[in-house]
Amino acid sequence: MASSDLEDLCFHINMKISTVKKILQLRSIGQEPSLKSMLCKIGHEMVLLHDLLNQMESEVQQQEKMNNTLKELLKSAERDQLEAQHLCDHIPPHLPKTVSSWYAVREHGDSKPLSVAGPAVKGEEPERAKKPTKEPRPIKEAALITAEEFESVPVYMKGRLTYDQINAVVQEMNKAVEGKYKILHQPLKSMNAAVRKLYHRFLEEETKDTKGGFFIVEADIKEFTQLKVDKRFHSILNILRHCQRVREVRGSRLVRYVIC
């Protein structure tokens, strides 16, 4: 046997002897009355410490799960933020504005906004009682074509027309409707000669089939917009009739496009 192996064996035996001595010492200590109560307290504290360690381990596991969940939420929020930023940077030009362009119309043709009366001031004479006016009636506009409606339009009707081109025409037609009826709702005394001429033309174009509705003719489109009344424009009108945005009323060699 080599000397190194003998030394290792001796070291191992000495460690065992030392361990047995420590066990005998601890056993003898446990038999002493003065130390028995202290050992019991130490044992109780060890049990409590073991329970506390188990609770801490459980809490750490829960925190790890929560941390993983928060990481997933953070990734999801970052994706949503990027998508929202992309949508914000690429808003389609044909979407309607948040502020409505409709105008309140009164019985006597006054298109100014209604004002809210403040508290009466002493010394002021009360205004004369005015005749009750009708409820304000908005100028009707044609709604934009939705993506689903565009897809439902027959191919022969669409041709090479795009979704944006159709809605651009809808917006221009709404401008013509707005321009026309703003004039119709103005007092005659506030009009100049050119506007009064338009006013009388608008009245002459009214029929029993258009009464109570909002309509325009090709002359109004030329007057209030930059649209060209060409073949493409009439193709788009066919699509708008198909989607029930406008309807035609013919008479006196004139085609009236009534807003649905």
Side-chain angles (χ1 to χ4, degrees):
M1 182 180 294
S3 59
S4 59
D5 294 338
L6 182 59
E7 289 177 357
D8 291 340
L9 180 59
C10 291
F11 178 76
H12 179 70
I13 293 173
N14 289 331
M15 287 296 295
K16 291 291 185 181
I17 293 171
S18 176
T19 302
V20 170
K21 286 181 178 180
K22 288 179 180 178
I23 292 172
L24 292 174
Q25 289 175 357
L26 291 172
R27 184 178 180 184
S28 61
I29 290 174
Q31 299 301 324
E32 295 183 13
S34 59
L35 299 176
K36 189 175 287 188
S37 60
M38 184 180 293
L39 289 174
C40 290
K41 290 181 180 180
I42 292 173
H44 180 68
E45 293 293 335
M46 291 294 292
V47 172
L48 295 177
L49 182 60
H50 185 268
D51 293 338
L52 182 60
L53 288 174
N54 288 337
Q55 292 178 9
M56 290 180 65
E57 184 177 359
S58 177
E59 184 66 24
V60 169
Q61 291 176 354
Q62 291 181 3
Q63 292 295 332
E64 287 178 351
K65 290 181 180 179
M66 185 178 295
N67 186 38
N68 293 333
T69 302
L70 291 175
K71 286 181 179 178
E72 292 297 326
L73 288 174
L74 178 61
K75 291 180 181 179
S76 178
E78 289 175 348
R79 288 194 299 267
D80 292 343
Q81 183 180 8
L82 291 175
E83 184 177 355
Q85 186 63 43
H86 176 77
L87 293 174
C88 184
D89 295 338
H90 299 82
I91 297 176
H94 59 266
L95 288 180
K97 298 180 181 179
T98 55
V99 180
S100 175
S101 61
W102 288 9
Y103 291 82
V105 180
R106 299 183 183 177
E107 182 182 13
H108 299 291
D110 187 4
S111 61
K112 296 180 181 179
L114 299 176
S115 60
V116 180
V121 181
K122 291 182 178 180
E124 290 186 355
E125 294 183 1
E127 295 183 0
R128 294 180 180 178
K130 295 181 179 180
K131 295 181 180 179
T133 58
K134 295 181 180 178
E135 291 293 326
R137 190 164 67 100
I139 296 176
K140 189 174 183 180
E141 294 183 349
L144 297 176
I145 301 298
T146 65
E148 291 78 8
E149 288 176 314
F150 180 74
E151 293 298 327
S152 68
V153 175
V155 177
Y156 76 88
M157 209 178 270
K158 287 189 290 190
R160 296 183 179 180
L161 293 171
T162 65
Y163 175 74
D164 291 334
Q165 288 173 337
I166 296 172
N167 276 328
V169 170
V170 174
Q171 288 180 310
E172 290 300 307
M173 290 182 66
N174 286 335
K175 288 181 182 179
V177 175
E178 178 184 314
K180 173 183 176 178
Y181 284 90
K182 280 179 66 178
I183 292 175
L184 281 173
H185 300 146
Q186 288 180 13
L188 274 173
K189 61 182 179 181
S190 66
M191 300 179 187
N192 57 32
V195 175
R196 188 169 296 185
K197 184 177 179 181
L198 287 174
Y199 177 85
H200 288 297
R201 175 173 70 80
F202 297 155
L203 294 181
E204 291 172 358
E205 292 168 351
E206 290 276 359
T207 68
K208 62 179 182 179
D209 295 324
T210 61
K211 188 175 181 180
F214 295 84
F215 73 93
I216 53 175
V217 298
E218 289 187 2
D220 301 328
I221 295 170
K222 295 176 182 178
E223 178 72 30
F224 297 105
T225 75
Q226 300 296 322
L227 286 176
K228 293 181 179 179
V229 183
D230 52 12
K231 184 177 180 181
R232 192 186 76 163
F233 174 76
H234 287 287
S235 297
I236 293 176
L237 278 178
N238 288 333
I239 295 174
L240 296 181
R241 286 198 299 270
H242 175 79
C243 296
Q244 298 181 353
R245 292 302 189 274
V246 297
R247 62 182 176 89
E248 290 186 359
V249 174
R250 296 175 180 267
S252 302
R253 294 181 296 178
L254 193 65
V255 181
R256 299 161 182 82
Y257 304 106
V258 183
I259 305 301
C260 296

